[in-house]
Amino acid sequence: QVQLVESGGRTAQPGESLSLSCVGSGYAFSIYPMAWYRQAPGKQREGVAVASNDGDLYYEDSVKGRVTISRDNAKRTVDLQMHNLQPEDTAVYYCNVWVGGVAYWGPGTQVTVSS
């Protein structure tokens, strides 16, 4: 079955950088777009970035210039590098893929930005 597992979340100070990683299994990783979402306390889940299966990259406006998404099809991973972290980046970050019309999510990884 499709499984996604995120890692890399931690507590960071404003201005720091961190990298999140997601490994996918149970499906043909290379042919599906992979996405990162986040959900801050008391807010709806929102998209952060997408790495399409043909190399195109998309970013939510609020993170453009601070976030880089990348994928390694051989390793079945999609990474999210975040720079100049701000308190508003505090959220649970989720990896996402749509396979066969079904959305799959990982359990999430917590990022907390606090001084």
Side-chain angles (χ1 to χ4, degrees), residues 8 10-20 66 80-86 89 111 113:
R10 61 176 176 87
T11 298
Q13 293 192 342
E16 288 189 359
S17 299
L18 65 75
S19 183
L20 306 179
R66 298 193 299 116
L80 191 71
Q81 296 183 350
M82 304 177 65
H83 305 288
N84 190 23
L85 287 164
Q86 301 299 313
D89 294 319
V111 173
V113 184

Side-chain angles (χ1 to χ4, degrees), residues 35-102:
W36 280 96
Y37 283 74
R38 66 185 180 184
Q39 187 165 17
K43 295 187 177 181
Q44 289 188 332
R45 194 171 297 188
E46 64 174 3
V48 177
V50 177
S52 74
N53 55 311
D54 58 5
D56 291 332
L57 307 176
Y58 304 93
Y59 298 96
E60 197 272 333
D61 286 344
S62 69
V63 301
K64 280 182 180 177
R66 298 193 299 116
V67 168
T68 302
I69 188 171
S70 60
R71 63 188 295 162
D72 186 327
N73 290 333
K75 295 181 179 178
R76 306 177 64 88
T77 58
V78 57
D79 294 342
L80 191 71
Q81 296 183 350
M82 304 177 65
H83 305 288
N84 190 23
L85 287 164
Q86 301 299 313
E88 52 265 35
D89 294 319
T90 295
V92 179
Y93 284 73
Y94 298 93
C95 187
N96 163 264
V97 65
W98 283 78
V99 179
V102 177

